Amino acid sequence: MVTTPPRKNKAPNILGDWDDVRFFLAVAKTGSFSAAATQLNTKQTTVGRRIQALERRLGAKLFDRHRHGMEVTPAARGVLMQAESMMSNATSIERHLAGLDREMAGIVRVAATEGLAAQWLVPRLSELRRLHSDIVVQVIVGDQVLDLATRQADLAIRFFRPTSNQLVAARVGQFNMSIFAAPAYIEQYGLPQRLEDLNEHHIVDHTTLHSLPAMKAWTEVVERSSSVVLRTNSSHSAMEAVKASWGLSVFPSYSRKGENLIEAPIDLNITRDIWLVSHEETNKGARIRAVIDYIRERFHQDEREWFSLSQHRNAALVAS
């Protein structure tokens, strides 16, 4: 009697539609349809529809919904491995082609923090537009670290030096974190002169700063305060609250430019560098190179006025 060997369970094959791979990976990585839609620049309903179509084609459920988000099902783990392999190969090809691209036209994605993008970067892009009218700069704002290897951005302005050997980083500026208040607030409550004085003032808390070890001094100020009047994860919202005289908060020293705020003479001893970061495989492409060179030159032009230690910090260094 001839027996048929048992079938080995094989992962369903996702090959066939690259868009399906992108949608599947986005949900797997972000844990939700809404976050995946944001990443893919589409609608949440579109993401859901594409995932349902993929599940019908593969004949398997791909995600389980939990309280904390969407999780890949055991049956889909093999699909995830295939998708990640496809993404790795595709982005490698894309990076290589971007590095060979000689076209001075198309989109260049620049990642930057909310405050730096609004206060400094965007106002300076008009000259780039005049020089290279066919280049469209897409400014991606947020504190999240986008992956340049997978082309989530073409270059990034970061406050830390990357560790990956494939990333090229140039230090383009420096700033210290300073305490700011609006004139109307100072008129009513005064301007604090010493760190201990902050215990008597209203505080606007930019909560995302507490995840940074360098911000420990400010975290301690917030923890000691008995009058935190607002908490927000948005630097823009924190800035607007301070401008509306809600209280004091901490911002990069370059915030004194263009904002009607007054810097308190208190040294938190928090100094940070600004790095312009690109990927070694893509930064040779003509339009990406043009944007890198332009932004780097603008940093150089504005370094003394915008991106150097504040007067209070310099005075403290001289005194020491």
Side-chain angles (χ1 to χ4, degrees), residues 153-190:
D154 296 305
L155 60 148
I157 303 172
R158 295 178 178 170
F159 297 153
F160 62 92
R161 186 173 191 170
T163 56
S164 171
N165 292 332
Q166 291 186 309
L167 297 181
V168 179
R171 193 174 79 89
V172 291
Q174 187 179 43
F175 65 92
N176 56 279
M177 299 297 289
S178 300
I179 296 167
F180 288 90
Y185 176 90
I186 295 171
E187 184 177 342
Q188 184 173 2
Y189 298 102

Side-chain angles (χ1 to χ4, degrees), residues 121-134:
L121 178 61
V122 171
R124 278 152 185 78
L125 292 178
S126 57
E127 177 67 10
L128 177 65
R129 174 69 176 166
R130 187 187 68 79
L131 293 172
H132 305 291
S133 59
D134 292 328

